[in-house]
Amino acid sequence: MAPRLQLEKAAWRWAETVRPEEVSQEHIETAYRIWLEPCIRGVCRRNCKGNPNCLVGIGEHIWLGEIDENSFHNIDDPNCERRKKNSFVGLTNLGATCYVNTFLQVWFLNLELRQALYLCPSTCSDYMMGDGIQEEKDYEPQTICEHLQYLFALLQNSNRRYIDPSGFVKALGLDTGQQQDAQEFSKLFMSLLEDTLSKQKNPDVRNIVQQQFCGEYAYVTVCNQCGRESKLLSKFYELELNIQGHKQLTDCISEFLKEEKLEGDNRYFCENCQSKQNATRKIRLLSLPCTLNLQLMRFVFDRQTGHKKKLNTYIGFSEILDMEPYVEHKGGSYVYELSAVLIHRGVSAYSGHYIAHVKDPQSGEWYKFNDEDIEKMEGKKLQLGIEEDLAEPAKSQTRKPKCGRGAHCSRNAYMLVYRLQTRERPGTPIQVPAFLQELVDRDNSKFEEWCVEMAEMRKQSVDKGKAKHEEVKELYQRLPAGAEPYEFVSLEWLQKWLDESTPTKPIDNHACLCSHDKLHPDKIPIMKRISEYAADIFYSRYGGGPRLTVKALCKECVVERCRVLRLKNQLNEDYKTVNNLLKATVKSSDGFWVGKSSLRSWRQLALEQLDEQDGDADQSNGKMNGNTLNKDESKEERKEDEEELNFNEDILCPHGELCISENERRLVSKEAWSKLQQYFPKAPEFPSYKECCSQCKILEREGEENEALHKMIANEQKTSLPNLFQDKNRPCLSNWPEETDVLYIVSQFFVEEWRKFVRKPTRCSPVSSVGNSALLCPHGGLMFTFASMTKEDSKLIALIWPSEWQMIQKLFVVDHVIKITRTEGGDAHPSETQYISEPKLCPECREGLLCQQQRDLREYTQATIYVHKVVDNKKVMKDSAPELNVSSSETEEDKEEAKLDGEKDPDFNQIMHAFSVAPFDQNLSIDGKVLSDDCATLGTLGVIPESVILLKADEPIADYAAMDDVMQVCMPEEGFKGTGLLGH
């Protein structure tokens, strides 16, 4: 037996021998477990939940040990936010803007670009007043150049460890929660910056982007027939290098410049020959920029999945790159040195993290820029290190190739930045313009004020913590009550008082009260008995209540529990006695009626009745053993209890009298009933001579009479209409019977309901009328044509012979007569047979009905659509995806709502997975109509349930260059659509 149950049993053992009226104060204190010994710290390692005198393990250990000042506050040292000496400033990641931060750091360390931006005129002069900036106004950059100016000035001279680039990101209109293509961002921003600076008057500013990043190459095509050479000149700001199948950067550059043969269908039209000729085409580098950006195309399109993927292959590159072998004009200085490596960490193209390794152009030292964190590399060397680790299984990890001195290899680098080695560096550091420096100084002042404020708050928290420590240390020693006056306090409150992370609230003991507003005996496991001295201090400092002194021990609850325990013990004996009495035979004139269901469960009902008061008390206080009751659960339990019948109520009829069914009750002796009545004094009492309910007897007789009447009616109608009942010898419009020229029509619904009644007259109500109005329009016209009644509408009508119609008119009330008459043609067409309906067809309503039926066909959910693949003009059915469960008219908003309800969107990727055909290669059609509108619903395309869609797949395109076009055309992505990067 668990210790807690042992304590519970020990606390109430006396109730087995003591009558309720004999309960004394000693018995009460025993029930409240005041007799238990207090636990000793060091011997008892955890709190004894059943012992109110145990004050060990309630959270006191953090106060009685050595003092740790850092535990008294949650405020970090503000100096940790201060920029380290001889270090750079980081940038805050606003959610998924790490790709922006890496490029900002690379551009900041391009000294020529930074110097040129500082020379741009600024609207900051509008904020100047006298010798400084207006204090009441915050500077808001108006252009992209001003945003970069301010960011660069802060990166250069800020006292902060990192700064917030949200103004710059907001100005570009970027979504901070969506990670974008870093390479595309670089291209678009450089284009935007060049366009913005082109309006500047200063040529050093206007041309800085071209001077730093712009090179030129030519697409050269040479005709094999006549040797004519044509050139197409083009500027570039970065070289996009394919890395598939390569291990070295130089191999990637060589492939970029390699000669391509134009033959067959891809022949070149030569203007000199005036015909298509075989030719060669290649790229020639004409000039290179000061800063050479090499984009490694790690993110490529996967035709199998229809999505982008990342190539995690190692590419080797050296710190010194000689580009002279690759340029057309030799003799110049084309030796470059590595200045930055941009890294994408992660195996997926749609997630991961961007960082940058950048070389300080003034000191020559390498730094790792990881958003807010800046790390200086040791020994002035590039160390990619952990950036090459990927989250992949150990078995599939590729071994890193060995690299020689001055060389590196990476499977995460996506951009390499090289600088001309011979280019001179500025001898003196770049100076921040005065107006920008004043803005930086003001930001630094705010930062220093914040540091002082945080340090003061930190000091106040420490002082408060020390005072609390002394209080706890003193009071905890005085908590045990011993033999002195005592009070009870909630264990939960004591734990919160000892919890350093939460402020102490007033004491609240209401959850531990019984219905008499005293301490409930069952709440002792969640209470602690403390000295009156400690309680006085607690209530004086924190307030609250009610105070639970020795007078709060509830005698009424203890007496009631004593009574219940005694009754429970007596119940076991009475249960055996009643079982023995039920075995004896009872005379019909002597005894009482008891429900069989009540007899089976009377012991459980008695137990529940005895526990009802305790249970109500527990629920009224809202807590039991420290756990809050679920309101919804308690409501449901009460509702179920109300629906359950009380003892002997199972033989009550709806009128509150004895039910007429003797199968549900049993006769018991007077002695047995007397025992049962002790536990259920309010139970309904029915002596053996008690008559059954008279109203129920009358209803039973009426029911028997009605059943006999229904059987008679059903038999008469079945005899009168035998063929209609058996569905034999029925007339057919498509094969009109020769023996009659007139047929009558009734609703098929009437026939089905009538047949149900005839088959089971005691269970169904008689059919009294023929409702033909359902077959007519509001104008009284017929809704069906003769042709439709022979085909699709034949399921809605039933044809009646004239003899049957006469009988139907006698047996039922007919609201509308509908008949079809066959007549021979007139003088113009004597051999042609005509069919005339009465009433006549209503053309307008008939057309409306057809339109509504078409709409109903095209509006469906969870219908089955089949897809057949056509191969060499033959249909192929895949077992792996035989059908699609789809909806005809779901909009995107409907789909989102359906997701909230747990439903799934129709997954047309099943086609891709079943037939291995990517979406952009799928040509879908139905009944010869091509399904090409991606925005249309299935209903508007005419796809109805059980339709068969034909799939014809395009053949894969072997040309890799064409694959890029497919990616752009067939798999459009939002990218930077709607941002300021496309505003120019």
Side-chain angles (χ1 to χ4, degrees), residues 474-486:
E474 175 191 355
L475 272 179
Y476 185 76
Q477 304 298 330
R478 300 293 303 271
L479 279 182
E484 61 183 288
Y486 59 85

Side-chain angles (χ1 to χ4, degrees), residues 706-717:
N706 286 335
E707 287 182 1
L709 179 62
H710 287 181
K711 288 179 180 179
M712 182 183 69
I713 294 172
N715 187 53
E716 179 185 354
Q717 293 179 353

Side-chain angles (χ1 to χ4, degrees), residues 345-347 389-393 397 411:
R345 294 202 65 208
V347 295
D389 293 340
L390 291 176
E392 61 180 351
Q397 286 186 357
R411 59 175 169 178

Side-chain angles (χ1 to χ4, degrees), residues 806-819:
Q806 294 177 3
M807 187 59 62
I808 286 175
Q809 286 184 311
K810 291 180 181 179
L811 296 174
F812 307 98
V813 177
V814 180
D815 57 353
H816 296 282
V817 178
I818 302 176
K819 68 178 181 178

